[in-house]
Amino acid sequence: MQTILVVNAGSSSVKFQVFGIGTTAHLKQLVRGQVDGIGVRPRLRAKNADDVQVVDQSYTPSDVPDVPSAIRAAGTWLRETQQFELVAVGHRVVHGGPDYDRPVIVNDKVLADLERYIPLAPLHQPNNLAPIRTLMERFPALPQVACFDTAFHRGHSEIADHYALPKHFYAQGVRRYGFHGLSYEYIAEQLHEVAPDVAMSRVIVAHLGSGASMCGLSRGRSVESTMGFTALDGLPMGTRSGQLDPGIVLYLLSEQGMSVEAVQKLLYNECGLKGLSGVSNDVRELLDSGEPGAVLALEHFVYRIGLHAGMLAAALGGLDAFVFTAGIGEKGVAIRARIAETLSWLGCEFDSVANASGATVISRKTSRVKLYVIPTNEELMIAKHVLAMLPAGGEIRSVRTA
């Protein structure tokens, strides 16, 4: 069976999925896995289509010290055990900048362009591009498609897109982009199946994970996002600050004598839930902790989500549904309950029994604004984009990766 490989590379892990292409261009997930603990305790795990674990292999830190080596480890296992006919690879790339508003087949020029946006997403962009570069060097004939987290938001109005800066900065690409777009695009599609009565109405989607943001959808399209120029903006996250007075950055530079590199490390790696709690960046650990900092961090997280929900509802001109997704959104029963309480003024009537039972709909039948929990699948969304870029009705060429 001909297949598409999807790669989602982070700083300490590489997630991957393999999708088979059926006779009617239907995508079927064949394998999903990840290499995590890169450089510390590298471990490759994967499951097949029946959710059966097919590999659990550990490596020494010297064997898998970085993302390219993790890609090679996963690729070696796939080639030696799975016998796939690989026709293309899709990649999640966080920042597409002002030039890329849709998926694109990567060549040397595209790769060079995307490298220019590394300062705008220093935690993600280098790792997103590393596997592309590795595969280009080893298999130059293999088509690779970059799919951007910013693309889904590129239809924002000019008013929403601008900062109050001199116009030449906008022309240079200093504008509000928004992120987690592949997740929001997937949820917008899923709403037609899960909740067709609200799919084309006013919906807020909360993508809550280690990275967190919210998006306002109207008729299935992004109208506004809590994130802007970089993935630092908006909600407080695991280790990222979220919305911040820019004067604080000036103060850190001028009065605290911090270097640009030190400020960048602070805002991306030492703030958010981790910095506020002094305990952890993991919501589960904070919920189990009795430390005052942990309590404060969670209350702040919930409070800011409520504030941003009001902002997005204003941008939408009202609200008909609210969707929880991503790691915390999908699994955080206690956090969902706290957030739902802050949404009552918008017309949300929360159903605690449905929430605790893992139901898709967690609002009461009488609720004017419906509450949903919908799992996201960025990798499937990427595979769909890749499939759409392959020759329609023509022969798809397989590339040997042995």
Side-chain angles (χ1 to χ4, degrees), residues 79-297:
R79 289 195 304 274
E80 293 178 350
T81 66
Q82 302 303 303
Q83 305 299 311
F84 294 135
E85 293 183 61
L86 187 61
V87 298
V89 183
H91 300 266
R92 177 195 176 206
V93 178
V94 165
H95 217 304
D99 298 324
Y100 295 99
D101 61 356
R102 65 198 67 190
V104 62
I105 295 178
V106 181
N107 55 29
D108 290 337
K109 180 185 181 304
V110 171
L111 185 58
D113 287 345
L114 298 180
E115 287 174 338
R116 300 199 334 257
Y117 308 137
I118 287 175
L120 307 187
L123 282 188
H124 302 90
Q125 199 85 347
N127 298 303
N128 300 158
L129 301 182
I132 298 177
R133 189 179 300 104
T134 298
L135 290 171
M136 284 180 71
E137 292 171 353
R138 298 192 67 190
F139 311 109
L142 181 64
Q144 297 191 75
V145 178
C147 300
F148 304 102
D149 260 348
T150 49
F152 186 63
H153 304 292
R154 291 300 300 279
H156 285 182
S157 70
E158 187 177 21
I159 293 173
D161 222 15
H162 271 75
Y163 289 105
L165 295 170
K167 290 192 68 173
H168 68 271
F169 287 108
Y170 183 86
Q172 295 168 5
V174 182
R175 59 186 73 174
R176 291 180 55 81
Y177 290 100
F179 297 88
H180 295 130
L182 290 163
S183 176
Y184 294 129
E185 186 178 11
Y186 179 80
I187 296 298
E189 283 193 359
Q190 285 296 104
L191 280 170
H192 288 281
E193 298 181 19
V194 175
D197 54 325
V198 301
M200 297 300 285
S201 59
R202 301 164 299 184
V203 181
I204 293 175
V205 184
H207 177 105
L208 305 178
S210 179
S213 70
M214 294 162 66
C215 176
L217 300 177
S218 178
R219 301 189 63 80
R221 297 177 64 87
S222 174
V223 170
E224 184 59 272
S225 169
T226 58
M227 282 183 169
F229 182 56
T230 72
L232 273 176
D233 200 9
L235 304 178
M237 294 165 254
T239 63
R240 282 173 266 170
S241 62
Q243 186 179 29
L244 200 68
D245 181 341
I248 293 175
V249 177
L250 299 178
Y251 172 80
L252 295 176
L253 293 170
S254 63
E255 300 302 318
Q256 293 289 317
M258 295 178 68
S259 67
V260 172
E261 292 76 14
V263 171
Q264 177 174 287
K265 182 179 179 181
L266 170 70
L267 299 182
Y268 277 100
N269 301 106
E270 303 297 334
C271 293
L273 299 178
K274 177 183 178 181
L276 198 55
S277 70
V279 175
S280 173
N281 64 332
D282 191 316
V283 165
R284 293 166 296 186
E285 292 182 17
L286 296 178
L287 286 168
D288 291 338
S289 173
E291 293 293 325
V295 174
L296 173 63

Side-chain angles (χ1 to χ4, degrees), residues 14 30 34 50 64 103 108 130 166 174 191 212 216 235 239 248 280-281 299 315 318 357 373 380 384 391 399:
V14 173
L30 303 177
Q34 67 178 39
D50 298 320
V64 184
D108 290 337
V174 182
L191 280 170
L235 304 178
T239 63
I248 293 175
S280 173
N281 64 332
E299 289 181 350
S357 68
V373 181
L380 179 56
K384 288 182 176 183
V399 176

